[in-house]
């Protein structure tokens, strides 16, 4: 399997090259189970982010990052879920189509999450921003409830995302066209 070598916040990793379609491959970055990377990138990213009261991420790959950022920073995070859970009272949702998913998904926030986010300075985080579809969906969801997004951050900006001026990121990540 082909790999892409990258240094992220002082951690060297070889990311597997994964096919997306007949024209595109991506380097697969997954923080699950990589505590060293999660801790290092959270510390480096937090130093670049504006002041915030709460962190929001989409389920699921951004969860370790959101947790660690909240643990060392604001102590508060919310996960926009991909499905309604039994404990979620009066959920609201938005639809999203991600580059790594083959179908339209929904992101949900419960009434309790919405109350937690109102009148707070919100930092949206994710592991990788590529097309920006997931990011835009989270922003739409947060604006629906009157949330104040003060920043958007990720570990890696993939492809054209590295040219965006509205996101904070640690390293660029190329796309691999066939």
């Amino acid at each position: 399997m082909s790999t892409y070598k990258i240094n992220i916040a002082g951690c060297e990793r070889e990311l597997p090259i994964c096919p997306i379609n007949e024209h595109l491959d991506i380097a697969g970055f997954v923080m699950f189970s990589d505590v060293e990377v999660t801790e290092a990138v959270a510390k480096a990213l937090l130093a670049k982010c504006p002041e915030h009261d709460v962190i929001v991420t989409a389920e699921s790959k951004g969860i370790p990052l959101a947790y660690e950022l909240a643990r060392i920073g604001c102590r508060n995070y919310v996960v926009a879920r991909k499905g309604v859970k039994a404990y979620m009272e009066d959920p609201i949702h938005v639809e999203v189509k991600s580059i790594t998913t083959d179908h339209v998904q929904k992101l949900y926030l419960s009434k309790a999450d919405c109350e937690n986010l109102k009148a707070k300075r919100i930092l949206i985080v994710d592991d990788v921003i590529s097309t920006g579809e997931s990011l835009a969906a989270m922003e739409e969801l947060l604006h629906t409830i009157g949330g104040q997004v003060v920043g958007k951050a990720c570990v890696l900006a993939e492809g054209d995302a590295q040219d965006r001026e509205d996101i904070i990121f640690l390293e660029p990540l190329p796309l691999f066209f066939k």
Side-chain angles (χ1 to χ4, degrees):
M1 175 181 274
S2 297
T3 60
Y4 177 74
K5 191 172 188 172
I6 190 168
N7 184 313
I8 313 165
C11 300
E12 294 276 338
R13 295 294 184 270
E14 288 196 31
L15 308 180
I17 304 297
C18 307
I20 295 298
N21 59 42
E22 64 272 6
H23 304 291
L24 178 66
D25 292 346
I26 62 170
F29 175 65
V30 180
M31 286 189 299
F32 290 135
S33 303
D34 196 335
V35 175
E36 179 185 27
V37 163
T38 303
E39 290 177 344
V41 301
K43 183 178 178 184
L45 205 51
L46 190 59
K48 298 176 81 169
C49 290
E51 284 191 35
H52 54 277
D53 303 308
V54 62
I55 292 164
V56 174
T57 194
E59 190 175 36
S60 69
K61 285 175 39 186
I63 294 173
L65 177 61
Y67 169 82
E68 185 62 15
L69 283 166
R71 189 188 70 76
I72 64 175
C74 68
R75 314 287 299 169
N76 190 3
Y77 76 103
V78 170
V79 176
R81 304 298 304 260
K82 290 184 179 174
V84 175
K85 305 300 178 190
Y87 61 82
M88 296 176 76
E89 183 181 334
D90 298 329
I92 64 168
H93 77 275
V94 65
E95 292 186 350
V96 61
K97 175 75 171 96
S98 168
I99 189 173
T100 56
T101 307
D102 63 357
H103 59 283
V104 173
Q105 296 180 314
K106 292 181 180 180
L107 293 176
Y108 297 88
L109 289 174
S110 69
K111 181 179 178 181
D113 291 333
C114 294
E115 290 301 318
N116 182 23
L117 294 167
K118 281 187 182 168
K120 300 272 179 55
R121 297 172 297 173
I122 302 167
L123 176 66
I124 299 173
V125 301
D126 210 346
D127 60 336
V128 179
I129 293 176
S130 186
T131 63
E133 294 295 324
S134 297
L135 181 66
M138 282 192 287
E139 275 191 286
E140 180 183 337
L141 192 59
L142 294 168
H143 287 229
T144 299
I145 63 165
Q148 179 193 357
V149 176
V150 296
K152 299 170 275 191
C154 62
V155 178
L156 303 173
E158 188 172 54
D160 292 341
Q162 66 186 299
D163 298 327
R164 292 177 60 155
E165 295 181 10
D166 65 326
I167 63 170
I168 300 158
F169 64 95
L170 297 179
E171 298 295 333
L173 186 64
L175 293 171
F176 302 91
F177 296 98
K178 304 180 213 176

